[in-house]
Amino acid sequence: MLPFKLVYSEKYFLPIGEHVFRADKYRLIQERLLQQHVADSGDFIVPQPASESDVTLVHSPHYINKLMEGGLSAREELQMEIPYSPQVVDAFMLHTGGSILAAERALKDGICVNVGGGFHHAFPDHGEGFCMINDIAVAIRAMQKRGRIRRAMTIDCDVHQGNGTAFIFGNSIPRPDILPSTSAPVLGRIPAEEAVKGKDVFTISLHQEHNYPYVKPASSIDVNLPDGCGDSEYLGWLDNALSSALRQFEPELLSYVAGADPFGQDQLGGLSLTIDGLKQRDELVFRAARARDIPIMTTYAGGYAHHVEDTVTIHCNTVIAAAEVYRAAESRLST
Ligand SMILES: [Zn+2]
């Protein structure tokens, strides 16, 4: 039994046909976790779809109406890069409900993993890059609305910049400094103190600079990584960005976007992380959260390895890494 819950529904499958985004990955992850006895069936909890009122905490009613009534233009559907259908909308509402549930459980248990979600390219009034609803932002706004938290921090480690999330939480804050993509894993400049003051959501994105999205709205910290960046360089940048962020901002919830696409064999990524390096990345994030006692929710986002088994391994390793970090914490407490 795991020391935390996994949020999952068999209805996470997105009916989008033959696609580089293997929407059967969620089922394959659940099956692998069970087969390898990482988790048992009692570790899984099933989400309800998000309500429209929660979704409109982030998205415009006009956009939600278009989704519900099939009113997207051909151009809007093209920008989404997945085919529209009411069933696809239902699946996104369920993933979003899953992230809300993961946030609730993280606040209760210290950590929770949504075996889905992470649709960080969705904007308030449109979807793009395989993302229709920004479940990450909806979950945070829902927790704030319910008075459960005031401040949150997103740590987006997908290979693609979290443009939707950065835009949603960017509001009127001045554009922060962008970290230069030099080879030394030393944090360049950090956001000015005034830029952080009064902010309720601090966003961090580590991503490949020369990749989608080509327009990158400013996150609180953007780490623009060079092509081919490997494990040690990546982990150095992550460690620096995270510790710098946590020195200047005290979140009551961390939202970790554990994309599998920084993997060297990814079809849509150009970084060179190994499967082992990605697991170390997960451990680093979970250790940082655990050491400071900050609840952390995790979503999966992208993963398009040439062999889907590799994507599944990377996502399963996120659960294994969390189990190792939180079991170690448990046993320390009980001795
Ligand atoms: Zn991605």
Side-chain angles (χ1 to χ4, degrees):
M1 205 178 91
L2 288 167
F4 52 86
K5 293 296 179 194
L6 302 170
V7 179
Y8 173 74
S9 163
E10 60 190 28
K11 294 178 186 157
Y12 273 3
F13 176 75
L14 297 146
I16 54 174
E18 275 291 297
H19 202 286
V20 67
F21 174 15
R22 287 280 303 260
D24 56 346
K25 76 173 181 178
Y26 308 111
R27 174 179 56 81
L28 297 173
I29 295 163
Q30 196 228 14
E31 285 173 3
R32 176 91 69 84
L33 289 170
L34 290 171
Q35 272 160 14
Q36 299 195 341
H37 305 290
V38 173
D40 59 44
S41 57
D43 293 322
F44 291 90
I45 51 175
V46 181
Q48 295 296 312
S51 67
E52 279 189 46
S53 66
D54 277 340
V55 172
T56 47
L57 294 171
V58 168
H59 293 281
S60 71
H62 182 58
Y63 175 57
I64 298 304
N65 279 345
K66 282 197 273 191
L67 293 182
M68 296 302 163
E69 283 155 29
L72 293 179
S73 67
R75 191 182 162 278
E76 285 172 319
E77 198 173 332
L78 209 62
Q79 192 177 20
M80 197 103 68
E81 297 186 80
I82 48 170
Y84 171 88
S85 70
Q87 291 75 28
V88 169
V89 177
D90 289 346
F92 274 100
M93 292 297 272
L94 194 57
H95 279 266
T96 305
S99 291
I100 293 171
L101 181 57
E104 279 168 351
R105 288 303 299 225
L107 291 171
K108 183 167 179 279
D109 302 337
I111 173 167
C112 186
V113 177
N114 184 9
V115 182
F119 298 110
H120 58 164
H121 300 312
F123 283 73
D125 64 351
H126 74 274
E128 58 176 74
F130 318 156
C131 299
M132 188 179 270
I133 297 171
N134 195 312
D135 57 294
I136 305 159
V138 171
I140 288 172
R141 288 296 188 226
M143 291 306 103
Q144 289 175 325
K145 176 92 193 304
R146 288 165 206 176
R148 303 289 311 275
I149 61 166
R150 281 164 300 166
R151 293 179 310 280
M153 180 181 285
T154 64
I155 308 157
D156 192 331
C157 289
D158 191 275
V159 79
H160 305 104
Q161 196 238 11
N163 56 343
T165 314
F167 179 88
I168 290 162
F169 294 124
N171 50 57
S172 60
I173 302 304
R175 189 180 169 80
D177 298 316
I178 293 172
L179 302 178
S181 39
T182 60
S183 57
V186 175
L187 195 70
R189 291 174 296 170
I190 55 174
E193 212 174 297
E194 318 79 74
V196 175
K197 216 180 274 172
K199 207 164 170 49
D200 63 354
V201 182
F202 190 107
T203 53
I204 306 172
S205 180
L206 266 84
H207 49 262
Q208 185 187 4
E209 181 174 15
H210 302 298
N211 202 330
Y212 169 88
Y214 298 101
V215 176
K216 297 176 174 63
S219 312
S220 308
I221 293 181
D222 278 301
V223 183
N224 290 311
L225 297 165
D227 299 351
C229 176
D231 291 343
S232 58
E233 198 182 346
Y234 184 98
L235 293 169
W237 279 109
L238 174 60
D239 193 20
N240 273 297
L242 197 50
S243 40
S244 162
L246 289 169
R247 268 198 303 273
Q248 54 185 312
F249 189 84
E250 289 181 13
E252 293 153 310
L253 177 67
L254 286 170
S255 177
Y256 174 40
V257 182
D261 48 13
F263 179 45
Q265 304 299 312
D266 195 273
Q267 299 175 77
L268 301 183
L271 301 185
S272 299
L273 273 76
T274 63
I275 289 179
D276 190 49
L278 285 158
K279 182 163 181 261
Q280 289 178 49
R281 171 198 71 170
D282 297 336
E283 288 167 1
L284 195 159
V285 174
F286 292 131
R287 274 204 211 97
R290 183 68 193 86
R292 294 166 179 83
D293 243 339
I294 309 168
I296 181 165
M297 60 172 284
T298 299
T299 53
Y300 273 154
Y304 317 95
H306 288 284
H307 303 288
V308 73
E309 297 77 21
D310 288 337
T311 299
V312 172
T313 300
I314 294 163
H315 285 316
C316 287
N317 280 348
T318 302
V319 176
I320 294 169
E324 286 169 359
V325 170
Y326 284 80
R327 274 213 184 94
E330 251 185 4
S331 62
R332 262 204 319 276
L333 287 174
S334 60
T335 50

